[in-house]
């Protein structure tokens, strides 16, 4: 029995309240741009650069640089795999050293402290995945003011608080993949609920906002039941999924997991309740975490991008930013073995479209 299952079995009798959101439109108040219901939509133009600029940054072109990677939290598979990709890029480049460090829980105050400490200790660059886009902005601007190169990945900050953001997938692309896959499993008139991290986590708020817009446009007969927070915590994610199952019973056709923790935890809840094939779980998760449920025919799919590639791309972008070879106005950037990556949304580097992993191919991936 794996550690996750053991922990969740022990936690299954705990009672955890559901924290509902009155609407599921996200919390960032940005405009939505749902993709076409069928076929492909044209890629957006990059637009005018809106990122920040370091103050009096030293000449780092071709020189050895030291970079700290501060993800939302350490000790979870998702950010262990992005760190793996960063180390791959560092070895390939040969002139960049990257150390991953950060909080052990997805807590923005703790993350800010880590960033601030590394500004004080002195680094050439900071890679980050934000727990809160607004709250983290002042300390990232402090880093820019200190001449430090700042590049985000996975979860962005306010644009002027960093130079570039490596976007694993456009929010409307994530939304389309999630909702299309859900509908393929529960039908166009099914009912579903969402387990997310927090209502303010930037990437998840944006994905949910785009999911709502895409659903209104393409699947108006779907019924949304509730969104609950789970803090990217295994036990809390399981308990929230369990609560949804108990609360809605046969009315619940599917659960959408918005984090790499929530999705396997929801799958475990479905399996423990004997609901395999009756309640679908569609979400974002590492293939390795979902293999037991997909190979065991309890869950049909999981959606993600290559997280190793995400970390690899972030390190490649950091090197080019430090070298001055990635400048405002660029339309693409060379990213080692990934080739040319497109610039979108003024100051974002796009990794690519999400991938749906199924029983047919999930065993071909190891992350």
């Amino acid at each position: 029995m794996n550690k996750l299952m053991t922990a969740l079995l022990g936690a299954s009798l705990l009672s955890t309240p559901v924290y509902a959101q009155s609407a599921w439109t996200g919390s960032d108040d940005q405009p939505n741009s749902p993709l076409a219901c069928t076929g492909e939509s044209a890629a957006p133009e990059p637009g005018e650069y809106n990122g920040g600029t370091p103050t009096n940054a030293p000449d780092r072109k071709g020189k050895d640089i030291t970079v700290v990677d501060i993800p939302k939290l350490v000790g979870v598979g998702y950010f262990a795999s992005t760190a793996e990709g960063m180390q791959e890029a560092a070895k390939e480049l040969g002139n960049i050293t990257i150390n991953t460090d950060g909080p052990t829980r997805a807590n923005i105050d703790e993350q800010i402290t880590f960033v601030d400490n590394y500004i004080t200790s002195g680094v050439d660059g900071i890679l980050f995945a934000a727990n809160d886009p607004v709250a983290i902005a002042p300390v990232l601007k402090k880093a820019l003011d200190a001449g430090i190169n700042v590049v985000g990945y996975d979860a962005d900050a306010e644009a002027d608080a960093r130079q570039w953001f490596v976007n694993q997938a456009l929010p409307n692309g994530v939304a389309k993949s999630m909702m299309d896959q859900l509908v393929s499993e529960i039908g166009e008139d099914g009912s579903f609920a969402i387990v997310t991290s927090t209502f303010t986590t930037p990437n998840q708020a944006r994905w949910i906002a785009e999911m709502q817009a895409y659903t209104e446009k393409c699947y108006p007969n779907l019924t949304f039941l509730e969104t609950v927070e789970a803090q990217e915590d295994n036990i809390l994610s399981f308990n929230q999924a369990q609560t949804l199952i108990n609360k809605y019973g046969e009315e619940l056709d599917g659960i959408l997991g918005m984090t790499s923790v929530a999705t396997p935890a929801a799958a475990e809840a479905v399996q423990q309740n004997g609901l395999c094939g009756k309640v679908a779980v569609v979400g974002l998760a590492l293939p390795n975490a979902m293999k037991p449920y997909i190979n065991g025919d309890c869950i049909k799919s999981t959606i993600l991008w290559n997280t190793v590639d995400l970390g690899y791309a972030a390190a490649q972008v950091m090197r080019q930013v430090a070298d001055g070879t990635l400048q405002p106005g660029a339309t693409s950037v060379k990213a080692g073995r990934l080739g040319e990556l497109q610039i979108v949304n003024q100051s974002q580097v796009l990794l690519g479209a999400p991938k749906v992993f199924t029983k047919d191919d999930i065993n071909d991936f190891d992350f």
Side-chain angles (χ1 to χ4, degrees):
M1 183 178 293
N2 62 42
K3 293 181 180 179
L4 171 61
M5 186 177 294
T6 300
L8 296 181
L9 282 169
S12 61
L13 298 179
L14 297 177
S15 175
T16 302
V18 170
Y19 303 102
Q21 181 171 276
S22 59
W24 65 303
T25 55
S27 58
D28 57 7
D29 298 321
Q30 296 179 29
N32 299 318
S33 54
L35 297 178
C37 299
T38 59
E40 294 186 2
S41 301
E45 292 293 324
E48 185 177 353
Y49 179 78
N50 66 344
T53 302
T55 301
N56 299 322
D59 179 12
R60 298 186 172 108
K61 186 173 183 179
K63 298 178 181 177
D64 290 341
I65 60 172
T66 299
V67 174
V68 63
D69 162 41
I70 305 176
K72 294 178 185 176
L73 72 167
V74 297
V76 295
Y78 186 98
F79 289 113
S81 61
T82 55
E84 178 186 340
M86 291 176 190
Q87 293 306 317
E88 178 191 344
K91 183 177 180 180
E92 179 182 303
L93 290 163
N95 57 2
I96 179 173
T97 299
I98 303 176
N99 172 47
T100 296
D101 196 12
T104 56
R105 56 184 183 139
N107 180 282
I108 184 58
D109 293 330
E110 292 181 18
Q111 188 177 34
I112 289 169
T113 298
F114 272 90
V115 175
D116 205 20
N117 288 343
Y118 277 99
I119 294 171
T120 301
S121 63
V123 290
D124 298 296
I126 294 174
L127 291 162
F128 73 90
N131 279 306
D132 184 304
V134 177
I136 201 172
V139 75
L140 294 179
K141 289 178 181 178
K142 180 179 177 180
L144 290 174
D145 290 342
I148 297 171
N149 293 122
V150 180
V151 173
Y153 69 97
D154 182 69
D156 203 1
E158 293 181 326
D160 62 351
R162 49 61 178 168
Q163 290 166 272
W164 297 89
F165 171 68
V166 182
N167 194 338
Q168 59 270 39
L170 290 176
N172 54 8
V174 173
K176 180 176 174 63
S177 293
M178 293 276 281
M179 300 314 299
D180 285 352
Q181 186 61 33
L182 180 69
V183 165
S184 75
E185 297 187 25
I186 72 171
E188 294 190 18
D189 58 355
S191 301
F192 68 96
I194 298 173
V195 181
T196 190
S197 177
T198 71
F199 299 147
T200 59
T201 303
N203 50 348
Q204 292 156 30
R206 187 90 294 272
W207 295 336
I208 292 172
E210 289 288 356
M211 286 160 55
Q212 186 267 345
Y214 183 75
T215 300
E216 285 186 354
K217 175 181 177 181
C218 302
Y219 301 118
N221 294 323
L222 279 179
T223 300
F224 164 69
L225 298 171
E226 191 166 10
T227 297
V228 297
E229 294 180 298
Q231 309 283 328
E232 299 205 38
D233 177 271
N234 282 330
I235 293 175
L236 182 55
S237 294
F238 175 85
N239 285 337
Q240 293 289 56
Q242 180 68 54
T243 302
L244 290 170
I245 290 169
N246 293 339
K247 181 175 182 177
Y248 292 103
E250 293 184 358
E251 187 181 359
L252 181 67
D253 298 312
I255 297 174
L256 286 172
M258 302 307 299
T259 79
S260 62
V261 176
T263 305
E268 181 65 26
V270 166
Q271 181 171 276
Q272 284 193 30
N273 283 274
L275 294 173
C276 296
K278 296 179 181 179
V279 176
V281 175
V282 173
L284 304 166
L286 296 167
N288 285 348
M290 295 302 291
K291 285 176 182 176
Y293 307 106
I294 292 176
N295 289 332
D297 294 320
C298 186
I299 303 302
K300 292 184 178 180
S301 67
T302 192
I303 299 171
L304 202 63
W305 36 89
N306 189 319
T307 52
V308 175
D309 286 354
L310 178 60
Y312 177 90
Q316 291 281 350
V317 169
M318 174 60 78
R319 180 69 260 183
Q320 293 209 34
V321 169
D323 287 342
T325 53
L326 176 56
Q327 293 282 345
T331 57
S332 66
V333 57
K334 292 182 180 179
R337 62 173 172 77
L338 300 177
E340 294 270 344
L341 298 182
Q342 182 185 7
I343 304 295
V344 298
N345 295 339
Q346 301 178 278
S347 56
Q348 298 184 6
V349 178
L350 180 61
L351 183 64
K355 173 177 172 51
V356 179
F357 300 86
T358 67
K359 192 174 181 180
D360 292 336
D361 65 1
I362 195 168
N363 292 319
D364 296 335
F365 298 88
D366 185 20
F367 61 89

